[in-house]
Amino acid sequence: MDLRLYDTLSREKRVFTPLDPNNVRMYVCGPTVYDFAHIGNARPVIVFDVLYRLLRHLYGADHVKYVRNITDVDDKINARAAERNIPIRDLTEETYRNFKEDVAALGCLAPDVEPRATEHIAEMKTLIERLVASGHAYVAEEHVLFSVPSMPDYGQLSKRPLDEMIAGARVDVAPYKRHDQDFVLWKPSKESEPGWPSPCGIATPGRPGWHIECSAMSWKHLGETFDIHGGGIDLVFPHHENEIAQSRCAFHAGVMANYWLHNGFLQVEGEKMSKSLGNFVTIRDVLKDWPGEVARFNMLRTHYRQPIDWTVKGLEESWKTLDEFYAAAGDVADKGVSGEVLWALTDDLNTPQMIAELHRLRAEVHSGAAGAPEALAGSLRFLGFLRETTAQWAGRRQAASNIDVSKVEGLIQERTAARKAKNWTESDRIRDALAAMGVVLKDSKDGTTWEIAR
Ligand code: AMP
Ligand code: ZN
C-alpha cells in the first residue's frame, strides 16, 4: 500500500519513499514553553500523531523515529519568568509538564525523542561556526547572521517574491545586517538574560536564534538529511525556510528533509484566535468541558491541510458520533485496523474519508455483519480512540446527555432577541431556564457561547 503525502516544497502529492525503511525519520517543530498550549497548537500534535501511528504500522514501530523539540530558550520565556518572578527553568519545566499532560489526554503518543533547545547549544555553535567558515554567515556587533545572498536558491519552500521576503525580514531591522533578509543565528545576552559562551570568538555570552535550534536538534537526532519535516503552515516562512538554508549550507546538502508537511490554521467560532478578541482557548480549557477523545475526533473531521473552524457545535457532534462508536464497538476485542481506514489515511491522511469508513463499519455492525465490531474497534483504537470502557464513557456523558443542543441554541436566540429589545426580564428568565438545564452562558461582544456546567 503506497503512502502519498503532499509536500509543500514540491507543491505536489508524492508517493512516500523513505531514505531507509528501517529508520523512517520525522521531525516536527514543538512548543515554545512559556504558557499553556492553545487548541491551535494541538492541531499539529494530533495530525502528526496520526501520521506517526500510520508510519509505525507501515514500517514497524521500531523502524520509525519521531522527534518533536521543546523550545526552552526564547524572549517570551524570559519575559514571562520575569513577570511571574520565578526562575526560567521552573517556568519551562512547569509548562512542559502541562503540555505533556494535555497532549496525552488528547490521545497522542509521546515522540521517541523530545529534545530541549538548551541541551543542544554545543550543536548549534558547531553549525554556526561551520556556516561562518564556509562564508554563509558572518559576525557583526557580537551577533552572528546568516547571509541570505550566499545561498542562490534561498526561498524555494515559501516561493515568496524577493521583495516580500525582504519586507518580512525588515521586521528585524538592524544596522549591523549586511542585507535586509539576513537572519540571526546567535545574539548577545544581557546579564539578566540566559547566556552561553559565544561561538566565533565573540567575547560576550549569548543565546541562539530560534531557527538554528531546529537545524541543530534534527541533525543530532535524525542526521543531516531525513524524511519528513512538519509543523503549522505559519512556520513555512521564515522558520522552515531558514532551517533549510542553515542545514543545507552547513552540510552542503541538496535537501534537508524529503517531504515538508504543514497543517492548516485553526480558528475559533469563525474568528482568528487571539487574546485581544477574548476567544483564546487553551487545551486545558477544552479538556475541562470535553473528553480528550472528543477534542481529538473533532480535530480529525477536517483534512489537515484545510483551515479548521473550532466550534462548540462541532464538539457536540463529535461527542455524539463517538457515543455511537462506543455503543457499537466499545468493549469488543479488536482485530487491528481495517484496510479501508488505512487506505484513506495513506491518501495524504484523508481523515474525513477515514471517518466515512468508520461510519460505514458502524452501519455494518448494525446490520449484523460478522467481524464488523472487531474491525470498528480495531480501527478506532489504532487511531487513539476507545481508550475507555463503554461504562466509563457513558459516565462522562451522563451529565451532559440530557441537554438538547438545538433547544439550547433556540433559547439562546430568543434571549439574544430579548436583549436587543431591552426586555431584561425575559432575557433573565431564559438565562435561568438554561441554568436549570445545566447550561452556563458566556456573553462577549461577539455574541453568546455556552457550556455545560461542571
Ligand atoms: P508556536 O508555539 O507558536 O511556535 O506553535 C507551535 C505549533 O503550533 C507550530 O507548529 C505552529 O505552526 C502551530 N500553530 C500555532 N497556532 C496555530 C493555529 N491557530 N492553528 C494551527 N496550528 C497552529
Ligand atoms: Zn522548527
Side-chain angles (χ1 to χ4, degrees), residues 27-30 69 210-211 213-215 229-230 235 239-240 243:
Y27 185 92
V28 174
C29 298
N69 73 289
W210 173 32
H211 317 306
E213 295 177 10
C214 288
S215 284
H229 194 314
L235 299 187
H239 185 53
H240 288 169
E243 281 188 35

Side-chain angles (χ1 to χ4, degrees), residues 210-226:
W210 173 32
H211 317 306
I212 196 71
E213 295 177 10
C214 288
S215 284
M217 289 185 268
S218 60
W219 173 42
K220 168 84 185 281
H221 298 283
L222 299 176
E224 295 181 359
T225 302
F226 50 93

Side-chain angles (χ1 to χ4, degrees), residues 29-32 38 40-41 43-44 231-232 234-235 263-266:
C29 298
T32 303
H38 60 65
N41 300 135
R43 192 168 192 199
D234 58 318
L235 299 187
N263 64 269
F265 242 48
L266 174 146

